[in-house]
Amino acid sequence: MTRDAALGHVRRALDQEPASHHAHYMMAVIHSTRAETAKAVEHLRRAIELNPDSRSLARQDADLERLRESPTVKSLLEETTPDLKGRARARR
Protein backbone atom coordinates (compact mmCIF):
# COMPACT_ATOMS: atom_id res chain seq x y z
CA MET A 1 0.00 0.00 0.00
CA THR A 2 1.35 3.43 -0.89
CA ARG A 3 1.55 6.26 1.61
CA ASP A 4 -1.16 8.10 -0.33
CA ALA A 5 -3.48 5.09 -0.08
CA ALA A 6 -2.70 4.72 3.63
CA LEU A 7 -3.42 8.40 4.14
CA GLY A 8 -6.80 8.01 2.47
CA HIS A 9 -7.72 5.01 4.61
CA VAL A 10 -6.75 6.74 7.84
CA ARG A 11 -8.58 9.93 6.85
CA ARG A 12 -11.73 7.89 6.32
CA ALA A 13 -11.22 6.24 9.71
CA LEU A 14 -10.95 9.66 11.34
CA ASP A 15 -14.07 10.84 9.53
CA GLN A 16 -15.94 7.89 11.04
CA GLU A 17 -14.32 8.08 14.48
CA PRO A 18 -12.67 11.47 15.16
CA ALA A 19 -11.68 10.42 18.68
CA SER A 20 -9.68 7.38 17.57
CA HIS A 21 -6.27 7.63 19.21
CA HIS A 22 -5.02 4.87 16.94
CA ALA A 23 -6.05 6.73 13.77
CA HIS A 24 -4.42 9.94 15.01
CA TYR A 25 -1.27 8.02 15.82
CA MET A 26 -1.23 6.48 12.34
CA MET A 27 -1.71 9.94 10.81
CA ALA A 28 1.32 11.10 12.80
CA VAL A 29 3.35 8.21 11.38
CA ILE A 30 2.20 8.86 7.81
CA HIS A 31 2.89 12.59 7.99
CA SER A 32 6.25 11.95 9.65
CA THR A 33 7.35 9.64 6.82
CA ARG A 34 6.29 12.36 4.37
CA ALA A 35 8.38 14.96 6.27
CA GLU A 36 5.19 16.88 7.11
CA THR A 37 6.30 17.67 10.64
CA ALA A 38 3.60 20.17 11.65
CA LYS A 39 0.79 17.80 10.67
CA ALA A 40 2.57 14.85 12.28
CA VAL A 41 3.00 16.76 15.56
CA GLU A 42 -0.66 17.82 15.54
CA HIS A 43 -1.86 14.21 15.20
CA LEU A 44 0.66 12.83 17.67
CA ARG A 45 -0.41 15.41 20.25
CA ARG A 46 -4.06 14.43 19.73
CA ALA A 47 -3.26 10.71 19.96
CA ILE A 48 -1.53 11.30 23.30
CA GLU A 49 -4.42 13.43 24.57
CA LEU A 50 -6.83 10.61 23.73
CA ASN A 51 -4.58 7.84 25.05
CA PRO A 52 -1.49 8.77 27.09
CA ASP A 53 -0.05 5.29 26.39
CA SER A 54 0.63 6.56 22.87
CA ARG A 55 3.50 8.57 24.36
CA SER A 56 5.54 5.49 25.31
CA LEU A 57 4.89 3.90 21.92
CA ALA A 58 6.01 7.07 20.13
CA ARG A 59 9.23 7.15 22.14
CA GLN A 60 10.30 3.87 20.51
CA ASP A 61 8.56 3.83 17.11
CA ALA A 62 11.17 3.79 14.33
CA ASP A 63 8.71 5.49 11.99
CA LEU A 64 8.76 8.54 14.26
CA GLU A 65 12.53 8.75 14.64
CA ARG A 66 12.83 11.89 12.49
CA LEU A 67 9.90 13.48 14.29
CA ARG A 68 11.52 12.93 17.70
CA GLU A 69 14.27 15.38 16.66
CA SER A 70 11.73 18.21 16.87
CA PRO A 71 11.97 20.21 20.14
CA THR A 72 8.17 20.26 20.31
CA VAL A 73 7.98 16.48 20.09
CA LYS A 74 10.83 16.02 22.57
CA SER A 75 8.85 18.09 25.04
CA LEU A 76 5.62 16.25 24.26
CA LEU A 77 7.26 12.86 24.80
CA GLU A 78 8.95 13.92 28.04
CA GLU A 79 5.68 14.91 29.68
CA THR A 80 4.18 12.47 32.11
CA THR A 81 0.60 11.79 33.03
CA PRO A 82 -0.56 13.04 36.42
CA ASP A 83 -0.26 10.65 39.34
CA LEU A 84 -3.92 10.16 40.12
CA LYS A 85 -3.19 8.22 43.31
CA GLY A 86 -1.05 11.09 44.59
CA ARG A 87 -3.83 13.54 43.82
CA ALA A 88 -6.37 11.42 45.71
CA ARG A 89 -4.08 11.29 48.76
CA ALA A 90 -3.60 15.06 48.66
CA ARG A 91 -7.37 15.63 48.87
CA ARG A 92 -7.82 13.66 52.10
Side-chain angles (χ1 to χ4, degrees), residues 54-68:
S54 298
R55 180 179 285 117
S56 61
L57 180 60
R59 287 178 184 142
Q60 300 175 36
D61 192 330
D63 290 326
L64 297 178
E65 186 172 348
R66 181 183 324 148
L67 193 62
R68 287 192 297 268

Side-chain angles (χ1 to χ4, degrees), residues 64-75:
L64 297 178
E65 186 172 348
R66 181 183 324 148
L67 193 62
R68 287 192 297 268
E69 296 172 6
S70 159
T72 302
V73 173
K74 283 181 183 179
S75 175

Side-chain angles (χ1 to χ4, degrees), residues 16-86:
Q16 294 175 2
E17 192 176 342
S20 168
H21 70 91
H22 183 70
H24 280 285
Y25 187 90
M26 293 309 302
M27 286 295 272
V29 168
I30 293 166
H31 286 299
S32 179
T33 62
R34 296 167 62 117
E36 298 170 344
T37 303
K39 290 179 182 180
V41 170
E42 173 187 333
H43 284 286
L44 181 59
R45 178 176 280 121
R46 186 66 178 131
I48 291 170
E49 287 172 358
L50 293 167
N51 181 357
D53 291 339
S54 298
R55 180 179 285 117
S56 61
L57 180 60
R59 287 178 184 142
Q60 300 175 36
D61 192 330
D63 290 326
L64 297 178
E65 186 172 348
R66 181 183 324 148
L67 193 62
R68 287 192 297 268
E69 296 172 6
S70 159
T72 302
V73 173
K74 283 181 183 179
S75 175
L76 183 63
L77 297 181
E78 288 173 359
E79 293 177 16
T80 58
T81 55
D83 177 10
L84 298 178
K85 290 180 184 175

